[in-house]
Amino acid sequence: MSSSIKGILYMCLGVACLAFGDAVSKWLGEVHSPVQIIFFRTLVSLPLILLLAHLGGGLRVLKTSRPGVHLLRGLIYTGTMGCFVLGLTLMPLAEGTAIAFAAPLFVSLLSVPLLGERVGKPVLAASVVGFIGVIVVVRPSVDGVSLGALSMIGAAVFYALMMITARRYGGQEHLWAMVFYMTLVPFLITAAVLPWVWHTPLPWHWPAFLLAGVLGVGATAFITLAFRHAPAAIAAPFDYTAMVWAVLLGWWIWGEVPDLGVLIGGALIIGSGLAIAYQEGRTSLKRRPSA
């Protein structure tokens, strides 16, 4: 099996982990607050990240001289997860996933004022098409935009900020240090807030909390392996297979059937994201937010 094929397979496995983890979080969100879901996901993820860091070079890779940067990224990640989980509980899975795919558009546009990068006309045109797709999915009415859609847009913006900080500092810090501290901050924040929102899980909720955390770390590991085996231009487009999983899981678990507007808008968003990735010739660890 060629290295590129392995990279594609790892990418598809990672994306499947993300999609199933999002579905589990949405299911848990019917009973539990986003704070409690994020707490348990990060509680499960942290030991697994430490294990992977140990296997990938030893815990010394977690040493850092930039605690302020990690704190900032952790706060941004907390906002990403909070908005995303809240959005999952308020709207259909496929619709929320489609809006979340707008994250690369915000990365491209925010990199201009924050990183001093220049956006070419093809990327700008693709971004306009992508935002039209977001409007088609959201379909704002005279009453405004729904809270669920606003939450997902907020998740996309927060995630874009997280990817921009990764571009700025990722080459100066080890991957697992970036992932560990990014996960530690929301764990500590939600642990402090948890007593005020605690809802005792039912017996079958405990394995779901465990599964959500395992799937999150599994997704990170598989996607990392994907970019080690295949060029970004080959592996990154398979992130959009998440839309297929979102449609299937939403239909299977909740009976959600996306309408024509969601499908058209999602296609515009995905097409613009692929165009931006092609024009920029680069990618990040993940191209969209996730629970």
Side-chain angles (χ1 to χ4, degrees):
M1 184 182 297
S2 69
S3 180
S4 293
I5 295 298
K6 288 181 180 179
I8 292 171
L9 291 177
Y10 280 129
M11 189 68 181
C12 290
L13 284 173
V15 170
C17 287
L18 286 178
F20 278 86
D22 292 345
V24 172
S25 294
K26 177 177 174 63
W27 180 73
L28 288 169
E30 296 174 358
V31 177
H32 302 283
S33 74
V35 170
Q36 191 162 336
I37 294 171
I38 295 170
F39 170 77
F40 279 112
R41 287 200 66 157
T42 52
L43 175 65
V44 173
S45 297
L46 283 171
L48 296 175
I49 292 170
L50 288 173
L51 175 61
L52 291 171
H54 174 69
L55 297 175
L59 296 183
R60 63 181 179 275
V61 303
L62 301 182
K63 185 177 180 180
T64 179
S65 59
R66 297 177 176 83
V69 171
H70 292 297
L71 175 61
L72 174 62
R73 282 176 49 78
L75 292 173
I76 294 172
Y77 188 48
T78 303
T80 303
M81 296 182 73
C83 288
F84 192 84
V85 175
L86 177 61
L88 285 177
T89 64
L90 296 175
M91 65 192 316
L93 188 59
E95 187 174 339
T97 301
I99 296 174
F101 274 128
L105 314 181
F106 291 111
V107 171
S108 296
L109 297 181
L110 291 176
S111 64
V112 176
L114 298 180
L115 295 179
E117 296 182 355
R118 298 182 63 182
V119 174
K121 291 182 179 179
V123 173
L124 184 60
S127 299
V128 171
V129 171
F131 283 115
I132 291 174
V134 172
I135 293 173
V136 172
V137 173
V138 173
R139 281 163 290 186
S141 63
V142 292
D143 298 323
V145 180
S146 69
L147 178 59
L150 286 174
S151 296
M152 282 299 182
I153 293 172
V157 173
F158 275 123
Y159 188 77
L161 292 172
M162 194 168 65
M163 290 301 98
I164 286 174
T165 58
R167 283 188 183 179
R168 177 64 178 82
Y169 300 103
Q172 305 168 26
E173 295 284 322
H174 194 279
L175 167 66
W176 291 116
M178 300 282 283
V179 175
F180 175 75
Y181 295 112
M182 180 184 74
T183 308
L184 179 63
V185 173
F187 167 73
L188 295 175
I189 292 175
T190 54
V193 178
L194 189 61
W196 284 271
V197 298
W198 175 261
H199 187 284
T200 303
L202 296 171
W204 50 86
H205 288 164
W206 291 109
F209 280 119
L210 176 63
L211 178 62
V214 171
L215 287 171
V217 177
T220 302
F222 281 130
I223 292 173
T224 301
L225 287 171
F227 289 128
R228 288 180 180 175
H229 284 83
I234 293 177
F238 288 88
D239 184 19
Y240 293 103
T241 57
M243 194 66 192
V244 177
W245 285 114
V247 171
L248 292 176
L249 290 170
W251 167 75
W252 179 46
I253 300 174
W254 293 280
E256 301 168 350
V257 179
D259 60 24
L260 185 60
V262 173
L263 296 177
I264 294 175
L268 291 174
I269 296 169
I270 291 173
S272 67
L274 290 172
I276 290 173
Y278 175 78
Q279 288 292 329
E280 292 186 345
R282 60 180 175 235
T283 190
S284 54
L285 181 61
K286 292 188 297 180
R287 301 280 303 180
R288 62 186 175 92
S290 172

